[in-house]
Amino acid sequence: MSIIPIITFKAGLCDVDSSSKPYKIKPLQKPGYIYLYSEDDLIHFCWRPRDVPMDQPELDLVMVPTDGHFLPYDTKSPANPTSKTNGRIFALKFSSSSQRHLFWLQSKPQGRSGDPAWLSPRDRKIGDIVDRLLQGEEVDVTRELSSVRDNNNDSHEPGDEDATMRDVDDQPHGGSGGAGADATGADIREEGEEAREGGADGARAASSGGPDAAAAVRDFLASLKGTPGLGGGSSQGKLYPLLNDLLDRSVTVPLADSASEAEVDNLLSYLPPAVLVLALRGDQGGSAQLDLSADAAAAAKAAMTLNQKRTLLKKVLRSPQFNQSLLSLTNALREGGLPSISEALGIRVENGGHVRGGNVPLGGGDAVEAFVEGIKRFVEKK
């Protein structure tokens, strides 16, 4: 599997000793990376040792938008004045669970004073980027980081050396974690008897069975790899907007606001079950074990008000995952996938998606236009 991270930075896992109070946080010295990437319209939050390939993470959490938060530990006003830290600690926590994953940044601290717990503007910016990605926001990571690249309080150039960290104390529930520019992995912090393993609650989305259009697009893109000459002329032909330009949020969000309940229900039926279940859980609270089956998703949708449904739909339409999916679909169409994709979606396109009088698939802007026109005819017939 080819993974393209949205953001990657050094960080380490932490163990939590809850046998006494205040809790003791013990950093694990294994060097590692935290990285986030998008797949199937959901963000993966991952940690791996630095000597392990990116596609073999020790921690891989599929994050439902708005369920997770990535926040820094406040060293200035801890819940217990005796609680001290000598490292930059961040926590990944969930709205649907009392579980915590704690991390410590492994890049060298950038403060002039030598305070190992001081979070530089860059550290805080990285934590903010991760948290915003977990909320489903679109983030220009390069631009965001460049705005603080030279904004640090250090007397030396901010290098990429690793930091060391000793054990630190933490008060139970006494603050949340965060991430700095080079944080590493995550471990599980269980708070209370009802804490669940990561993935048993909102952290992992259930996969839906059966072939679908998304699978058809993924399979086609995978088939392009290593195929010499295929798609080489995709940039030729008619200029035509990308699907994510045609379906900009300025167009889609107002449609969600004006859609009837039946239309909203139809659109929500295409979401992963976990998204629907967790959306309702976020509004109602509770600590029961989540059921992420299709029946549970249908029940969650039926229990939502129209306003709740529209709010969820607009979150999805604004999410970076939705935008990335449109880009992937556009790329697949431009690279010759129109015949197979239109067939998988049940959309009739002119000449079956092939060049007139031949068996060569349409490519470039011609293919995207043919796909859009096919959808228009499909809707008009309905």
Side-chain angles (χ1 to χ4, degrees):
M1 176 180 65
S2 178
I3 293 176
I4 302 177
I6 301 171
I7 186 171
T8 303
F9 52 98
K10 290 180 180 178
L13 301 173
C14 296
D15 274 338
V16 179
D17 180 3
S18 58
S19 60
S20 61
K21 295 184 178 180
Y23 290 171
K24 188 98 167 178
I25 300 174
K26 181 177 181 180
L28 304 182
Q29 298 302 318
K30 180 183 291 186
Y33 290 112
I34 287 175
Y35 55 103
L36 280 69
Y37 71 94
S38 176
E39 182 184 42
D40 294 340
D41 300 334
L42 293 171
I43 288 287
H44 286 244
F45 183 104
C46 302
W47 181 86
R48 67 177 175 89
R50 294 186 205 168
D51 58 354
V52 170
M54 189 176 297
D55 59 355
Q56 298 178 24
E58 282 191 13
L59 179 72
D60 184 357
L61 300 177
V62 183
M63 307 297 297
V64 174
T66 74
D67 183 51
H69 283 281
F70 192 66
L71 303 171
Y73 178 80
D74 185 0
T75 60
K76 301 300 181 183
S77 56
N80 188 328
T82 64
S83 297
K84 299 178 180 179
T85 64
N86 59 3
R88 294 160 295 160
I89 302 174
F90 287 80
L92 174 66
K93 60 181 184 177
F94 306 96
S95 300
S96 60
S97 170
S98 59
Q99 196 170 40
R100 300 289 185 269
H101 295 266
L102 299 182
F103 308 87
W104 65 283
L105 301 186
Q106 291 180 326
S107 59
K108 193 173 182 64
Q110 298 177 4
R112 279 199 192 102
S113 66
D115 180 2
W118 183 77
L119 292 168
S120 70
R122 182 176 174 82
D123 293 339
R124 292 185 179 277
K125 175 59 71 174
I126 290 179
D128 177 66
I129 289 172
V130 172
D131 188 63
R132 288 163 58 191
L133 288 170
L134 297 182
Q135 306 319 301
E137 295 184 22
E138 291 185 30
V139 182
D140 187 334
V141 176
T142 301
R143 181 176 181 180
E144 293 280 347
L145 290 179
S146 65
S147 67
V148 294
R149 187 173 302 279
D150 299 318
N151 183 16
N152 64 72
N153 188 30
D154 202 356
S155 58
H156 57 75
E157 290 297 321
D160 198 33
E161 303 97 329
D162 288 343
T164 57
M165 177 175 148
R166 299 181 298 278
D167 293 359
V168 298
D169 293 329
D170 183 44
Q171 188 70 6
H173 308 285
S176 53
D182 296 318
T184 54
D187 203 325
I188 298 172
R189 178 182 183 183
E190 297 180 351
E191 298 182 352
E193 297 179 355
E194 298 302 323
R196 298 173 289 280
E197 294 184 3
D201 47 49
R204 297 188 190 275
S207 59
S208 56
D212 56 17
V217 174
R218 290 196 303 271
D219 292 344
F220 179 77
L221 288 173
S223 72
L224 293 178
K225 297 176 182 178
T227 306
L230 186 58
S234 62
S235 61
Q236 304 299 319
K238 177 179 293 186
L239 293 176
Y240 197 81
L242 305 178
L243 293 178
N244 53 306
D245 291 329
L246 294 172
L247 295 175
D248 185 78
R249 65 176 63 179
S250 63
V251 175
T252 58
V253 171
L255 287 175
D257 281 325
S258 62
S260 66
E261 185 162 13
E263 291 169 333
V264 172
D265 284 342
N266 181 53
L267 292 172
L268 292 180
S269 67
Y270 294 99
L271 295 179
V275 175
L276 292 164
V277 173
L278 284 169
L280 184 63
R281 166 63 67 87
D283 290 331
Q284 294 183 348
S287 59
Q289 180 72 37
L290 289 179
D291 178 4
L292 302 181
S293 65
D295 289 341
K301 185 169 65 174
M304 290 181 189
T305 65
L306 179 56
N307 184 58
Q308 288 174 320
K309 293 175 182 178
R310 283 179 172 158
T311 298
L312 173 59
L313 182 57
K314 286 187 287 187
K315 283 183 179 179
V316 172
L317 294 173
R318 291 189 178 108
S319 70
Q321 297 93 332
F322 180 71
N323 186 66
Q324 183 60 48
S325 295
L326 290 174
L327 284 172
S328 297
L329 179 55
T330 302
N331 185 49
L333 294 169
R334 292 176 61 86
E335 296 293 339
L338 178 59
S340 57
I341 293 171
S342 60
E343 182 180 359
L345 291 171
I347 303 296
R348 296 186 62 179
V349 295
E350 191 173 357
N351 300 317
H354 296 89
V355 175
R356 186 180 297 275
N359 292 320
V360 178
L362 284 172
D366 296 296
V368 180
E369 182 181 30
F371 180 71
V372 172
E373 292 300 320
I375 292 177
K376 287 181 180 178
R377 289 192 294 270
F378 178 80
V379 173
E380 288 169 356
K381 286 183 179 179
K382 283 194 138 186

